[in-house]
Amino acid sequence: MLVLRSGLTRALAARTWPPQVYSSFATGPRQSDGTFYEFRTYSLKPSKMNQFLENFKKNVHLRTAHSELVGYWSVEFGGRMNKAFHIWKYDNFAHRTEVRKALAQDKEWQEQFLIPNLALMDKQESEITYLVPWCKLEKPPKEGYSKLVGVFHTEYGALNRVHVLWWNESADSRAAGRHKAHEDPRVVAAVRECVNYLVSQQNMLLIPTSFSPLK
């Protein structure tokens, strides 16, 4: 399971990198390689959540034929329920445009998944994010309390937002890890320093689906 911690930061604190422009669509130090991650959140009708996930499971191969799926989760708690949260990786904006065009022309994907399942959704949200310069997308470990999986900042969506993905074996192991961290003076000092830059925070506990590459 993963915990997604999202924090809205003050604009001045979030924009401390050199103002170099590598793309007409995006700015920042990580965009020189073009790779970005799209966070998609679907809010589903309560009675249709399981049906939606089962339908995607049957047809996931049609979607991943076009671009890489990083992970797919359901939201267990922390915010609105009956949400499906997924992350897609793209080489650049031209790549995403090509994928969207290909999906629009993919009759099998349209007929078997998209069209039948549109009625199951209440809302769809999309954010374009980049990994922060010092972070690599990591796979979860086999043991331990918590593992940092990835740190992302938004380029499109709510700006000056940072998303942090943590792997935890369970909600109880996360609680134990946090208690342990609170006893570490280095962690306490870091939190005290960083909290000055925060406007708000939110946590979501994510449960991986059986077809999610990242668990």
Side-chain angles (χ1 to χ4, degrees):
M1 50 161 278
L2 293 180
V3 171
L4 176 64
R5 172 171 289 183
S6 300
L8 190 63
T9 63
R10 301 183 191 281
L12 291 178
R15 297 292 182 179
T16 56
W17 49 72
Q20 295 172 300
V21 179
Y22 296 101
S23 166
S24 59
F25 295 99
T27 60
R30 197 63 185 253
Q31 286 82 318
S32 57
D33 61 12
T35 302
F36 65 83
Y37 300 84
E38 183 174 10
F39 286 19
R40 295 185 73 90
T41 306
Y42 294 168
S43 297
L44 302 160
K45 296 179 179 178
S47 62
K48 303 298 184 180
M49 180 74 177
N50 290 336
Q51 180 183 341
F52 177 88
L53 293 178
E54 283 299 317
N55 287 345
F56 193 87
K57 180 180 178 180
K58 293 177 183 177
N59 296 285
V60 62
H61 64 285
L62 300 176
R63 180 59 182 84
T64 54
H66 295 283
S67 62
E68 180 182 346
L69 174 64
V70 175
Y72 209 111
W73 301 267
S74 61
V75 177
E76 182 67 15
F77 49 74
R80 181 175 176 175
M81 305 299 291
N82 301 299
K83 282 185 179 180
F85 174 74
H86 35 127
I87 302 176
W88 297 88
K89 182 180 179 181
Y90 295 99
D91 297 334
N92 48 47
F93 286 98
H95 178 210
R96 183 182 183 278
T97 298
E98 291 172 1
V99 169
R100 303 305 294 178
K101 287 182 179 179
L103 287 170
Q105 298 171 2
D106 188 331
K107 291 185 178 180
E108 197 173 8
W109 169 253
Q110 294 282 331
E111 294 174 358
Q112 292 189 27
F113 178 78
L114 187 61
I115 295 174
N117 289 287
L118 284 176
L120 309 184
M121 302 181 196
D122 278 336
K123 184 170 62 174
Q124 299 179 72
E125 298 175 81
S126 173
E127 289 180 290
I128 299 300
T129 72
Y130 288 91
L131 282 169
V132 298
W134 49 266
C135 181
K136 293 183 179 180
L137 195 60
E138 302 282 355
K139 292 184 178 180
K142 295 296 182 180
E143 58 185 16
Y145 287 117
S146 299
K147 171 67 176 179
L148 180 63
V149 175
V151 181
F152 307 80
H153 68 85
T154 56
E155 185 67 26
Y156 287 93
L159 297 180
N160 304 309
R161 176 179 287 178
V162 176
H163 296 292
V164 185
L165 276 174
W166 290 92
W167 174 89
N168 296 272
E169 186 176 357
S170 67
D172 287 324
S173 69
R174 175 184 181 270
R178 287 184 63 78
H179 287 308
K180 185 177 180 180
H182 292 164
E183 297 173 355
D184 188 330
R186 297 170 300 177
V187 175
V188 174
V191 171
R192 285 177 177 171
E193 180 180 356
C194 293
V195 75
N196 294 323
Y197 302 121
L198 289 171
V199 175
S200 63
Q201 287 182 284
Q202 180 183 9
N203 280 350
M204 289 196 303
L205 183 72
L206 307 175
I207 306 298
T209 61
S210 60
F211 52 85
S212 176
L214 182 61
K215 301 296 185 184

